[in-house]
């Protein structure tokens, strides 16, 4: 199987401080990869480099056999094919739920309004939010906002979904509704990279778990292997702290 995403020797620094120190990672079509690690380990920077929200300093990122670090890369097309869900929702406050889910379809993909709305309603239905299409996002709960954000990304029919700590800004009682949507997406065969602190989700849903620390991938393996029999002391120490 040819990987949908191939990362080689990816580096990134901020103000001279290395944050990513030569990341190598392949992701296969349909695979769910969960990235775990302490705050500041480089997890979110890795995701943001993948869709060029941050420009890598060095290395190679190949997505569907396209080199993303090539200056000729069509960034809008890339972001259409690589859906991103952020910690803080990032919904447009001056648009309805439906408007949030149609604007990129119309501006990036050139869809007609009716076609964009049809696809948006389908995506909202997938996350249980179709009944809120005309709502002002400000009136939604945090869990509802995040489900709309997922629907917005799905409306673009991406080839891969990137999730950056999608439950970290939610009240505890709202976490489950978002994780349930993500579990359903994973079961549907969506390729996903999920930066998360939800260890139970990673154990239950991931095909592979990647542990990052200080800008490097320390260990990678199946959930069973990594959680029950970590090979590296740094991994074991992180898991002990988390369980504590």
């Amino acid at each position: 199987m040819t990987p949908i995403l191939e990362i080689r020797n990816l580096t990134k620094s901020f103000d001279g401080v290395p944050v990513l120190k030569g990341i190598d990672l392949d992701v296969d079509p349909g695979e769910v990869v969960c990235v775990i690690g302490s705050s500041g380990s480089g997890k979110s920077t890795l995701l943001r480099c993948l869709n060029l929200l941050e420009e890598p300093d060095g290395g190679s990122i190949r997505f569907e056999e396209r080199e993303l670090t090539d200056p000729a890369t069509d960034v809008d097309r890339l972001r259409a094919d690589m859906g991103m869900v952020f910690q803080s929702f990032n919904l447009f406050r001056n648009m309805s739920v439906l408007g949030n889910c149609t604007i990129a379809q119309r501006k990036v993909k050139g869809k007609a309004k009716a076609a964009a709305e049809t696809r948006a309603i389908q995506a909202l239905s997938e996350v249980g939010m179709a009944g809120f299409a005309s709502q002002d996002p400000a009136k939604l709960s945090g869990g509802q906002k995040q489900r709309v954000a997922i629907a917005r990304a799905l409306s673009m029919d991406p080839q891969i979904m990137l999730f950056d700590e999608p439950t970290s800004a939610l009240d505890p009682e709202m976490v489950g509704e978002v994780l349930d949507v993500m579990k359903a997406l994973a079961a549907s065969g969506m390729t996903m990279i999920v930066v998360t602190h939800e260890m139970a989700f990673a154990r239950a849903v991931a095909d592979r778990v990647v542990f990052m620390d200080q800008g490097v991938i320390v260990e990678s393996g199946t959930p069973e292997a990594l959680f029950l029999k970590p090979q590296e002391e740094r991994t074991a120490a992180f898991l002990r702290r988390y369980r504590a």
Side-chain angles (χ1 to χ4, degrees):
M1 182 183 296
T2 301
I4 189 172
L5 188 66
E6 300 173 85
I7 305 165
R8 294 291 180 271
N9 197 31
L10 185 66
T11 59
K12 178 66 180 178
S13 297
F14 293 104
D15 298 324
V17 178
V19 176
L20 299 178
K21 306 173 184 176
I23 299 294
D24 292 327
L25 181 66
D26 286 350
V27 179
D28 290 330
E31 188 176 21
V32 178
V33 177
C34 284
V35 184
I36 64 172
S38 300
S39 178
S41 60
K43 309 181 303 296
S44 293
T45 300
L46 171 59
L47 278 198
R48 293 174 67 85
C49 282
L50 296 184
N51 66 0
L52 302 182
L53 287 172
E54 300 288 355
E55 185 176 347
D57 294 333
S60 170
I61 307 170
R62 292 186 63 80
F63 173 54
E64 294 189 312
E65 303 185 353
R66 292 175 283 169
E67 178 53 57
L68 303 190
T69 58
D70 186 331
T73 296
D74 183 337
V75 176
D76 287 337
R77 180 186 168 192
L78 161 67
R79 291 179 183 153
D81 289 342
M82 192 180 282
M84 181 85 172
V85 178
F86 300 89
Q87 299 179 32
S88 53
F89 326 129
N90 288 14
L91 298 177
F92 296 112
R93 296 178 182 178
N94 62 336
M95 297 181 184
S96 67
V97 165
L98 186 63
N100 268 274
C101 294
T102 57
I103 184 169
Q105 293 187 70
R106 298 180 67 187
K107 289 189 175 294
V108 177
K109 290 197 164 185
K111 280 191 177 181
K113 181 180 179 182
E117 290 183 348
T118 296
R119 180 65 188 100
I121 292 296
Q122 290 173 344
L124 287 166
S125 296
E126 289 181 51
V127 302
M129 291 296 294
F132 295 81
S134 61
Q135 276 274 19
D136 178 346
K139 297 179 179 178
L140 302 178
S141 70
Q144 289 171 331
K145 289 177 183 176
Q146 196 60 293
R147 284 190 281 156
V148 171
I150 294 171
R152 176 177 60 184
L154 290 176
S155 294
M156 298 295 283
D157 297 310
Q159 299 303 305
I160 188 171
M161 288 280 285
L162 310 178
F163 293 87
D164 186 10
E165 295 279 14
T167 60
S168 65
L170 301 180
D171 293 332
E173 63 270 20
M174 298 176 183
V175 169
E177 65 188 71
V178 173
L179 293 181
D180 285 346
V181 168
M182 294 170 64
K183 289 175 184 176
L185 269 182
S188 75
M190 174 64 74
T191 309
M192 298 164 57
I193 304 178
V194 184
V195 169
T196 185
H197 61 276
E198 299 286 348
M199 298 299 155
F201 173 85
R203 289 187 70 164
V205 178
D207 297 300
R208 186 157 40 111
V209 179
V210 172
F211 170 62
M212 288 185 65
D213 186 47
Q214 299 180 6
V216 300
I217 291 177
V218 176
E219 187 169 352
S220 175
T222 65
E224 181 178 12
L226 192 133
F227 282 106
L228 299 181
K229 297 179 181 179
Q231 299 300 302
E232 301 292 334
E233 175 54 31
R234 275 195 281 177
T235 313
F238 169 78
L239 293 173
R240 284 196 297 270
R241 289 198 307 273
Y242 200 87
R243 294 186 188 113

